[in-house]
Amino acid sequence: MKPLPPGSTIGILGGGQLGRMLAVAAAQLGYRCHIYAPDKFSVAAEVAVEFTYAPYDDIEALGRFADACDVITFEFENVPVAPLAAIAGRSALHPPIGALDIAQNRVAEKNFARAQGGTTAPFAEVIDMASLNTAIKEVGCPAILKTIRMGYDGKGQARIKQDDNLADHWDAVGHQPCVAEGFVTFTQEFSVILVRGQDGAIRYWDTPHNIHEDGILAKSLIPAPANILKQEEAARALAAKMAQAMNYVGVLTCEFFATNNGPIFNEMAPRVHNSGHWTIEGAVTSQFDNHIRAICRLPLGDTGLAAKKIEMTNIIGGNADEWQALLLDSANRLHLYGKGESRPGRKMGHVTKLFL
Ligand code: AMP
């Protein structure tokens, strides 16, 4: 199969900052982007050529979108699977729908990682108060209750401590089907970010050490400390096995807890990921560039480092007001996503600092 020639149209489902950075990388390679999003204001559409503003389950609008694109990808993993399956065949779609299906369900995701030989936190499904009581006995306390679907950035989660009133936590997650996870005592958190081409070739970026605050990524640091680097090989092997088993094409991110007994798989994102934003300036080829290359059948670019040390810091909520101060450090590379209003917990941008 030949590469998609420059001038072809890439469809992106999802209208947020990941789509914006994908569209910028695609434009650099001479492609046109068409964004599909259910929100009228899209920071991705602002840098793209076409915009379809329609709900994700509008099969007619999705079909027209597919007909107008040479290949489709997504930047949001909660795009409903059934309408996408209904338009399958009208345009190429990468990564595969199967990867979305697994990533949208925390139970399926953990079972899939285990089936590929990975270790996860102990977990049990919760559908009501009775199963919550049993689950906590099974996985122990402290525990984290997470909705099986639609959770991200710590949303849809409740942290359960000894002697807590379980009914309050069940109320906090809105009585939705959940997974109760045993609390992992980790030394650090990290992610494996890989890209898989249509020929099955895999490349990895350096492993970032990820620091979360309130369930949201705050910083990614390169190089990672020795304790993470010791676990890198096992974590990469699991991520590669998962990618192969899904017949995956594009960037795949797997998040891990580093423990004294090896890596514990937390979750995967079938897309470019916040912990890979440092690759824009910090790697020879960014995650966005290589994702576009993979879905368009171009040769993959070098994922090697462009600096000795790299720090990526998310700009969250009101911190976006600091943009002028951030620019006073000439080593800072500032990215603002063009979101008008800053709300607590909202990702407004990021800054990458390179140490050459
Ligand atoms: P998640 O939405 O699963 O990525 O969770 C967000 C963050 O909460 C993670 O990056 C961890 O910092 C923390 N967390 C999630 N699950 C666990 C767990 N089972 N044990 C300890 N910390 C966790």
Side-chain angles (χ1 to χ4, degrees):
M1 290 263 265
K2 289 203 190 104
L4 269 188
S8 302
T9 302
I10 300 172
I12 300 175
L13 291 152
Q17 66 269 16
L18 301 179
R20 180 178 173 104
M21 289 183 271
L22 278 171
V24 169
Q28 202 174 329
L29 288 165
Y31 295 114
R32 308 166 73 250
C33 281
H34 184 156
I35 306 297
Y36 187 112
D39 317 289
K40 203 164 194 171
F41 175 68
S42 155
V43 296
E46 287 198 331
V47 300
V49 179
E50 312 258 6
F51 180 31
T52 296
Y53 161 51
Y56 287 129
D57 57 1
D58 182 338
I59 291 180
E60 273 183 29
L62 271 179
R64 281 194 300 274
F65 169 70
D67 294 343
C69 297
D70 297 293
V71 62
I72 296 178
T73 190
F74 41 85
E75 62 99 69
F76 175 61
E77 75 259 36
N78 286 317
V79 176
V81 166
L84 270 191
I87 57 131
R90 289 174 71 172
S91 179
L93 173 71
H94 300 296
I97 293 184
L100 268 185
D101 212 14
I102 295 171
Q104 288 178 3
N105 181 316
R106 287 190 188 271
V107 173
E109 184 177 63
K110 288 183 199 303
N111 283 333
F112 179 62
R114 285 182 172 182
Q116 305 305 319
T119 307
T120 70
F123 69 94
E125 277 188 68
V126 172
I127 50 162
D128 52 20
M129 272 306 294
S131 51
L132 176 56
N133 275 298
T134 323
I136 296 303
K137 286 195 189 99
E138 212 177 304
V139 303
C141 214
I144 304 193
L145 195 60
K146 302 179 181 177
T147 55
I148 289 180
R149 292 186 172 275
M150 298 298 282
Y152 60 94
D153 283 349
K155 293 187 180 75
Q157 295 192 3
R159 297 192 174 211
I160 302 180
K161 296 184 298 298
Q162 208 77 45
D163 304 326
D164 277 2
N165 179 0
L166 291 184
D168 292 343
H169 291 300
W170 184 232
D171 288 345
V173 294
H175 300 193
Q176 293 179 71
C178 279
V179 58
E181 278 182 36
F183 200 84
V184 176
T185 314
F186 55 79
T187 51
Q188 298 99 354
E189 294 185 76
F190 67 96
S191 47
V192 170
I193 311 162
L194 64 79
V195 60
R196 187 169 185 269
Q198 297 191 27
D199 58 357
I202 288 178
R203 293 188 184 207
Y204 305 91
W205 280 271
D206 277 61
T207 301
H209 168 202
N210 299 327
I211 298 170
H212 292 82
E213 283 166 16
D214 302 324
I216 305 180
L217 184 70
K219 282 180 185 288
S220 289
L221 308 173
I222 299 280
N227 187 46
I228 289 181
L229 295 178
K230 273 195 283 189
Q231 329 211 351
E232 181 182 76
E233 194 181 331
R236 282 184 172 176
L238 174 65
K241 251 182 127 180
M242 291 171 69
Q244 274 145 14
M246 293 186 284
N247 208 8
Y248 197 89
V249 171
V251 169
L252 172 71
T253 310
C254 292
E255 293 185 78
F256 291 89
F257 301 118
T259 74
N260 293 327
N261 302 313
I264 296 198
F265 171 87
N266 179 26
E267 61 180 1
M268 71 173 195
R271 53 168 171 77
V272 287
H273 191 259
N274 195 170
S275 64
H277 287 1
W278 61 270
T279 62
I280 297 176
E281 294 90 4
V284 178
T285 313
S286 76
Q287 59 166 353
F288 302 100
D289 190 335
N290 260 344
H291 184 77
I292 297 295
R293 289 177 186 230
I295 66 170
C296 295
R297 291 188 294 274
L298 304 182
L300 299 179
D302 183 354
T303 49
L305 288 184
K308 286 199 199 81
K309 183 175 150 196
I310 302 153
E311 282 177 12
M312 189 290 303
T313 307
N314 268 340
I315 301 173
I316 295 173
N319 292 348
D321 298 338
E322 308 290 309
W323 63 274
Q324 289 190 79
L326 287 167
L327 286 171
L328 290 177
D329 182 340
S330 62
N332 275 346
R333 301 295 302 272
L334 181 66
H335 296 253
L336 293 173
Y337 305 146
K339 298 181 180 176
E341 188 195 339
S342 71
R343 288 194 293 269
R346 193 175 198 202
K347 291 176 179 170
M348 303 299 291
H350 71 268
V351 61
T352 302
K353 184 164 181 170
L354 300 185
F355 299 82
L356 297 170

